[in-house]
Amino acid sequence: MDDGPVTTTMPTKQMDAGIDGRLTRRLARDVAATFPEVIVAHQDGIFSGVLRMVPTRHDAQDVTQETFIRAYRALLGYDSNRIRDLKLRPWLWTIAVNLCRNAARDRRRAAVTVPLTGDDRATADTVDVAAEGIADVIAAEWQRRLDVLSAAQRDAVVLRHVVGLTYREIATALDRPVGTTKTDVHRGLEQLRALLAAEIEEKP
Amino acid sequence: MTKPTTSDVVTGLESLRTVAPQSVMAGTLIATGLADQYAAITGPTGITLYVAFNERGVSAVVPAPDEAAFLAIYQTRVGTQAFPGELPPRLASGIDRTLRTGKLGALAVDLTHLTEFQQAVLRKTAEIPPGELRTYGWVAREIDKPGAVRAVGSALNKNPVPVLIPCHRVGRSDGSIGDYAYGAEMKRDLLEHEGIDATAVDAAADAGVRFYGSDNTNVFCFPTCRHARRITDRHRVTFRSQRHAEASGYRPCKICRPAAA
């Protein structure tokens, strides 16, 4: 699997790149006026990915919000040329990935003294076993499989297939060579496939 | 069952795409100062005031019957988003004090998006004591822009924090109470609440009376100046203009400063 054919089957990504180009041009002129649109364009992608990289939904909410807050403060200090040249999506993800690592580290420290309240990634207000409830159950199963992977593989797989970043964007976000991220994605996918196969065989 | 393929895995992962909770947008905009929060309080005359605030202080006060009306007015007057919130204790007690005393005092108000001229107009207006009515011309003169009477009127009409900064205490140059961004009736109510007889003020203006003097002190004042209100009927004289007062041997009051130097 390489970048070429995949991007052509995923037109949303090209659209995103177009939106980001327009956003950075307008950000360069007026950060404050344009920034709410940056949030609108990227909050679902960032939240969806971060949700798989931190322990709880609450953490994901915090990290997503903090990503945008830090991005905004950084943009205020950049000159307009630097903003215009920004690759918005991988740049935002560089911030988000760092915050995810901090959140995971803080959780491990907190866990020494405070018992974790458990995985609350499922939406708290779904009590019914209706469509949403089932989606949460399925999401929890994928989370359990993703947690088997190494952090590097999990992050690369999530960024590639949950968020839809290109390998180049993933390499920027994770600060790793493009080749390494491709390997991580391929090995991660293969391991997930093997896990899935084993689960199906276990079932009577 | 057939063996799962990589594309089954990819489909499964893609199903994990979801939407961010609404609190992300609200929380980010509030934390970056791109949006304000708001809360409803009860104003001096019993009206409901919606108070918008951010980390710089109170950014807007809007008299409105309900939240929807407030949001509509806020959207047109301010043009940014606002989210419901709770007033921080410091601001809440500051607002209480201002409403109780009629003085802005140390209450933090966010005037950062206004021009220097607009800020000067509002800071000067905040100095007018409760129960006293000045004129647009007075504000213009006090900020050393004696020719900018209409601009003062326009700046006061755009006062983002009415009631707290008492633009209702500035009236027309003929001495009448005049108009108000939220209706002349509300302006009269606010002034009456502070002890001004609005009907008498307008009647005096109609009769051409601009200033009161005391034949004891030979000082002339705005009719609502705290000194003018102490003049007994027997000693009160009235003037049509500054020239009229000065020609009669009266000097302007040093407190309400009714005349150009």
Side-chain angles (χ1 to χ4, degrees):
Chain A
M1 198 189 291
D2 60 34
D3 268 6
V6 177
T7 39
T8 55
T9 58
M10 286 185 160
T12 52
K13 260 184 299 177
Q14 287 170 339
M15 206 173 69
D16 286 353
I19 287 172
D20 276 3
R22 279 198 297 280
L23 281 175
T24 47
R25 278 197 297 280
R26 291 179 41 221
L27 277 172
R29 286 199 299 272
D30 190 341
V31 173
T34 313
F35 197 74
E37 291 172 58
V38 174
I39 304 175
V40 170
H42 288 284
Q43 61 177 351
D44 291 346
I46 301 234
F47 181 74
S48 297
V50 165
L51 189 57
R52 302 301 146 203
M53 293 155 77
V54 295
T56 69
R57 185 177 173 87
H58 185 79
D59 293 329
Q61 208 166 309
D62 282 353
V63 165
T64 306
Q65 190 173 310
E66 191 61 25
T67 298
F68 288 115
I69 293 169
R70 294 203 183 187
Y72 181 75
R73 292 188 181 144
L75 287 170
L76 290 181
Y78 289 1
D79 65 40
S80 54
N81 286 330
R82 183 163 179 195
I83 295 175
R84 205 174 294 113
D85 292 342
L86 265 187
K87 301 266 182 286
L88 206 50
R89 190 161 66 160
W91 179 70
L92 288 170
W93 267 107
T94 310
I95 301 170
V97 163
N98 274 317
L99 290 169
C100 283
R101 287 176 183 157
N102 294 347
R105 192 195 55 215
D106 293 348
R107 274 288 167 163
R108 277 197 301 278
R109 279 192 194 147
V112 178
T113 49
V114 187
L116 282 177
T117 48
D119 188 341
D120 66 348
R121 268 175 281 220
T123 46
D125 50 1
T126 49
V127 261
D128 211 329
V129 198
E132 267 179 280
I134 289 164
D136 286 342
V137 169
I138 293 171
E141 294 207 341
W142 278 107
Q143 187 64 49
R144 187 176 42 72
R145 294 176 195 120
L146 282 168
D147 287 342
V148 175
L149 307 187
S150 71
Q153 286 183 2
R154 182 202 62 195
D155 291 355
V157 164
V158 165
L159 290 177
R160 181 73 194 93
H161 291 292
V162 179
V163 187
L165 298 197
T166 65
Y167 287 114
R168 191 178 297 279
E169 288 176 326
I170 298 168
T172 304
L174 298 177
D175 194 22
R176 295 163 73 85
V178 178
T180 313
T181 63
K182 281 190 188 178
T183 310
D184 281 340
V185 171
H186 294 166
R187 291 197 180 144
L189 281 183
E190 177 48 31
Q191 202 176 336
L192 289 172
R193 193 198 59 74
L195 283 168
L196 200 55
E199 287 169 28
I200 287 166
E201 271 176 25
E202 276 172 21
K203 284 175 187 162
Chain B
M1 193 167 200
T2 52
K3 282 198 171 175
T5 62
T6 305
S7 97
D8 294 331
V9 173
V10 167
T11 307
L13 292 171
E14 284 172 353
S15 78
L16 296 175
R17 286 175 195 170
T18 182
V19 293
Q22 286 186 336
S23 65
V24 167
M25 175 65 99
T28 307
L29 293 182
I30 291 164
T32 52
L34 290 172
D36 293 345
Q37 289 176 276
Y38 65 87
I41 62 166
T42 303
T45 58
I47 49 168
T48 301
L49 298 176
Y50 283 85
V51 177
F53 56 95
N54 56 43
E55 52 193 9
R56 287 185 293 274
V58 177
S59 55
V61 172
V62 179
D66 54 48
E67 198 167 353
F70 157 70
L71 287 171
I73 296 169
Y74 186 85
Q75 199 47 250
T76 37
R77 281 183 77 104
V78 184
T80 60
Q81 290 199 69
F83 301 95
E86 209 170 292
L87 277 164
R90 251 179 62 101
L91 276 187
S93 63
I95 292 168
D96 271 353
R97 196 170 49 244
T98 295
L99 293 181
R100 212 172 47 242
T101 62
K103 293 173 184 165
L104 183 64
L107 177 64
V109 287
D110 176 19
L111 306 177
T112 47
H113 53 290
L114 301 179
T115 64
E116 240 173 80
F117 175 79
Q118 289 174 314
Q119 294 189 28
V121 167
L122 294 174
R123 295 280 172 205
K124 178 50 70 178
T125 301
E127 293 174 11
I128 305 172
E132 301 193 20
L133 186 69
R134 301 283 191 269
T135 66
Y136 299 119
W138 178 86
V139 174
R141 209 168 55 230
E142 287 277 320
I143 61 168
D144 291 324
K145 297 276 191 294
V149 178
R150 290 174 71 98
V152 165
S154 153
L156 289 174
N157 188 49
K158 288 185 197 132
N159 176 13
V161 287
V163 184
L164 299 181
I165 290 184
C167 56
H168 60 278
R169 294 178 199 149
V170 187
R172 288 158 52 94
S173 294
D174 67 0
S176 64
I177 288 168
D179 217 346
Y180 192 54
Y182 295 97
E185 199 54 41
M186 192 179 294
K187 188 175 190 176
R188 300 173 70 85
D189 288 349
L190 286 166
L191 291 171
E192 296 257 1
H193 180 79
E194 295 175 359
I196 285 185
D197 183 341
T199 313
V201 166
D202 277 351
D206 266 355
V209 174
R210 298 276 299 281
F211 306 111
Y212 285 174
S214 161
D215 64 9
N216 264 339
T217 59
N218 281 15
V219 168
F220 72 99
C221 298
F222 282 113
T224 54
C225 172
R226 77 199 85 150
H227 291 298
R229 285 187 293 180
R230 281 209 302 267
I231 306 171
T232 56
D233 288 350
R234 198 155 58 88
H235 291 289
R236 186 187 303 119
V237 288
T238 59
F239 300 110
R240 302 183 299 276
S241 66
Q242 175 186 346
R243 213 160 47 165
H244 179 201
E246 283 168 348
S248 310
Y250 283 69
R251 64 163 183 83
C253 167
K254 288 196 169 97
I255 302 298
C256 70
R257 300 184 294 277

